[in-house]
Amino acid sequence: MRRYIYTILTILFAGLAITACSDQDYDQLDKGKNQLALTADQPMSVLDETNHASDAITLNWTTGNNYGTGNRISYRLELAKAGTDFANPYVCVDEQTQTYVWSANVENLNNIILDKMGGTVGEPIDIEARVTAIVSGSDEVQTATASFSATPYEPVTSTLYIIGSAAPNGWSADNASEMTRTDNGLFTWEGTLAAGELKFITTLGQFLPSYNRGDNGEPVLRTSDDQPDNKWNIDETHDYKVTVDLLGGTVAFEKTDGVKPLFDQLFFVGNATGWGFEAMTRDAIDPFLFRMGRVFEQGNGGEFKFGTADGSWENMYKATQANAPYTDQSMEFVAGYDPDNKWFLQDSETGKAYKICVDIRSGKERMMMSEFTPYDMIYLVGDATPNGWDLGNATPMTTTESPYVFTWTGQLNAGELKFSCDKQSDWAGAWFMATSADAEPKGTAEPTLFINKSDESLKAQYLTVNVGDLDYKWKITSSGTYTITLDQLHETVTITKD
């Protein structure tokens, strides 16, 4: 038995010895077997911001040795301007174990040279690298050095702003439109530009430095009033995507369908309004859509069109043919007075409610109008409601004298709330939702989002939104007695705490 125990202990100690020697940090037990050495892969380089993400320098070093102690070795790597004897070094690696390489890309090395070593743009600088191997429990010091040189560059601006008569805020340097930086020297901006001139400034509130138009349309840095002040010209008011590549030397203006609509309001006008201007409501999801729900009294139909400013007969959206039926979706924008084609609602088509949706997307203008039959009941659904998420047992509201308006008063819990129109069991039916996620009720009448996930014609009104993905709810933050009024024709809801 004793001999057996000795054998087991011998095997265990041998295993431990093998494990200890397998660690690269201390596999050199004999002093001098592995002297510390440091090498640089690039003895000389000229840094260029166009390659800012590429490797500029890689430093590798050997393990050194631990003097036969078996103790761990940690490493410190420092950079300094040649000739300073590392008086004020930049520490790249600070006493880390099992680390034998350090590298920097072009941008990082350029920043180190300019910010830490006092380098000068366009002038080569000689740099010394020093690695120190520190053995735990030992006062012995091992060092190795290597040299390399690099020429730094002046980085282009990290901010850029649009300014000019074509820009949204004109020539105001204090209120210039900021572009989005997507990479070194690469900026984008989307929005409406007017016909006029523009250039780019680098600092909000300052006209210099600026980037002006070069002879071939390239961006040219301007740092003095004595230099040419050429600008880019925008010929047509439109929505654009502007891309400025300062490193590639290009500026591009691309017309888009529009990030922002040409008009932020729209009015229904015609015989039914006595030719007064009746405001429509902008869609909560798609800013190019304008909506309204309206009852056309018996015999009160006739012509109609859409205005963009209250009382103005210019800049209107009109039918593309005279006396177009309300089912004709074709629509055009008319800047002046002519042509003056309108839609026409026949007397036989009146005495009903309609919902109207107008899309003013440039080049895709549409007028979509359909008869609206109100839902017989609206139901409360959500963990804030009495019956929670049990759609089949959803809480009904109360009818009123109007077939379009429902009310409800009762206890709501803290939680989520939305409204079902049909309790469709697959949850793909008609809903009244909040216009954003976790919307807290305002206590006043507010727009609600009507979505019918089973109605292809309604889903087709949205060109940039997948209706099936929408699931916004109101967030009730405190329990209590609430009164709710929902108008399904005008698509508004009022949720107030009593």
Side-chain angles (χ1 to χ4, degrees):
M1 175 65 71
R2 183 175 300 174
R3 181 177 299 170
Y4 176 76
I5 294 174
Y6 287 157
T7 302
I8 295 296
L9 291 175
T10 300
I11 293 172
L12 288 174
F13 285 131
L16 290 173
I18 292 172
T19 302
C21 291
S22 67
D23 192 323
Q24 185 175 279
D25 273 343
Y26 39 90
D27 61 355
Q28 301 294 338
L29 302 182
D30 296 327
K31 182 177 180 180
K33 278 292 187 71
N34 188 0
Q35 296 295 335
L36 186 66
L38 177 66
T39 57
D41 72 333
Q42 293 279 358
M44 181 180 298
S45 61
V46 176
L47 305 181
D48 184 350
E49 193 171 8
T50 57
N51 301 316
H52 64 92
S54 302
D55 289 339
I57 185 68
T58 298
L59 298 170
N60 293 274
W61 56 93
T62 58
T63 61
N65 65 82
N66 57 12
Y67 314 109
T69 64
N71 295 338
R72 284 185 175 273
I73 306 174
S74 59
Y75 302 93
R76 182 190 307 115
L77 178 67
E78 302 162 298
L79 300 181
K81 184 177 180 179
T84 62
D85 197 25
F86 293 92
N88 186 27
Y90 173 74
V91 179
C92 308
V93 176
D94 191 9
E95 298 190 19
Q96 296 181 16
T97 60
Q98 292 184 301
T99 301
Y100 314 100
V101 62
W102 176 86
S103 62
N105 62 28
V106 169
E107 184 172 6
N108 290 338
L109 183 59
N110 194 73
N111 291 339
I112 291 171
I113 293 172
L114 295 179
D115 299 339
K116 307 298 182 181
M117 298 182 181
T120 302
V121 171
E123 295 184 9
I125 181 174
D126 294 325
I127 300 171
E128 289 183 316
R130 179 174 68 185
V131 65
T132 302
I134 304 165
V135 180
S136 176
S138 173
D139 294 332
E140 296 289 341
V141 176
Q142 304 169 73
T143 63
T145 60
S147 299
F148 63 94
S149 67
T151 303
Y153 59 84
E154 179 67 35
V156 297
T157 180
S158 61
T159 56
L160 202 64
Y161 303 84
I162 296 178
I163 188 173
S165 58
N169 297 313
W171 288 106
S172 172
D174 296 322
N175 197 30
S177 298
E178 184 174 7
M179 303 188 73
T180 299
R181 180 181 183 270
T182 58
D183 200 350
N184 289 47
L186 188 61
F187 299 85
T188 62
W189 179 87
E190 294 187 51
T192 302
L193 294 177
E197 298 179 323
L198 63 79
K199 61 180 179 178
F200 307 94
I201 59 176
T202 65
T203 307
L204 198 63
Q206 299 181 19
F207 288 98
L208 293 174
S210 66
Y211 279 91
N212 292 64
R213 187 184 188 281
D215 293 338
N216 297 313
E218 75 280 9
V220 175
L221 182 63
R222 182 174 184 259
T223 58
S224 168
D225 288 333
D226 296 332
Q227 295 174 284
D229 191 20
N230 300 323
K231 293 102 173 171
W232 288 268
N233 288 305
I234 302 300
D235 297 328
E236 178 186 358
T237 299
H238 206 280
D239 290 311
Y240 293 86
K241 179 179 180 180
V242 183
T243 303
V244 179
D245 186 349
L246 298 179
L247 299 181
T250 61
V251 176
F253 301 93
E254 177 187 358
K255 289 184 178 179
T256 66
D257 283 344
V259 176
K260 180 181 178 182
L262 293 178
F263 303 98
D264 57 9
Q265 58 184 354
L266 209 63
F267 300 87
F268 177 88
V269 58
N271 289 121
T273 66
W275 294 102
F277 286 68
E278 195 169 296
M280 303 183 72
T281 301
R282 175 181 278 182
D283 187 89
I285 303 300
D286 187 338
F288 291 89
L289 301 181
F290 290 82
R291 299 182 179 277
M292 73 180 307
R294 197 180 195 285
V295 175
F296 289 83
E297 301 297 339
Q298 187 66 48
N300 191 20
E303 297 178 319
F304 64 90
K305 55 185 175 179
F306 302 91
T308 59
D310 194 357
S312 175
W313 301 102
E314 296 182 276
N315 298 320
M316 303 190 80
Y317 287 95
K318 304 178 182 181
T320 57
Q321 61 175 318
N323 298 322
Y326 78 86
T327 55
D328 184 356
Q329 296 188 7
S330 300
M331 185 177 77
E332 64 179 346
F333 175 70
V334 179
Y337 299 100
D338 296 316
D340 194 23
N341 297 319
K342 311 172 190 73
W343 290 270
F344 192 91
L345 192 65
Q346 305 289 338
D347 284 348
S348 60
E349 298 167 331
T350 60
K352 305 174 183 179
Y354 290 85
K355 285 198 175 182
I356 303 172
C357 176
V358 176
D359 188 343
I360 65 170
R361 207 177 312 270
S362 180
K364 299 179 181 180
E365 294 87 351
R366 300 176 293 163
M367 195 287 292
M368 295 160 282
M369 181 174 175
S370 60
E371 184 179 343
F372 175 64
T373 301
Y375 291 93
D376 295 331
M377 181 51 64
I378 304 294
Y379 304 87
L380 280 66
V381 182
D383 54 6
T385 70
N387 295 316
W389 291 109
D390 184 357
L391 183 57
N393 195 32
T395 304
M397 300 186 74
T398 301
T399 58
T400 66
E401 293 182 358
S402 169
Y404 309 110
V405 179
F406 293 83
T407 65
W408 181 85
T409 299
Q411 177 76 17
L412 290 181
N413 304 313
E416 295 179 324
L417 166 68
K418 59 180 179 177
F419 302 90
S420 173
C421 304
D422 51 13
K423 296 197 298 182
Q424 190 164 307
S425 60
D426 61 359
W427 297 81
W431 298 89
F432 282 99
M433 302 179 182
T435 57
S436 61
D438 296 327
E440 295 187 21
K442 295 181 172 59
T444 58
E446 58 185 292
T448 182
L449 182 64
F450 174 69
I451 294 295
N452 189 342
K453 299 184 179 184
S454 298
D455 188 335
E456 295 301 324
S457 62
L458 182 60
K459 290 163 63 176
Q461 292 179 3
Y462 290 97
L463 298 180
T464 60
V465 178
N466 184 355
V467 172
D469 293 337
L470 297 177
D471 191 24
Y472 297 144
K473 311 172 189 76
W474 284 272
K475 183 178 182 180
I476 306 301
T477 57
S478 61
S479 61
T481 301
Y482 287 79
T483 296
I484 302 174
T485 301
L486 189 147
D487 185 336
Q488 58 175 319
L489 177 62
H490 299 102
E491 299 181 2
T492 63
V493 67
T494 305
I495 304 174
T496 57
K497 187 175 183 180
D498 296 345

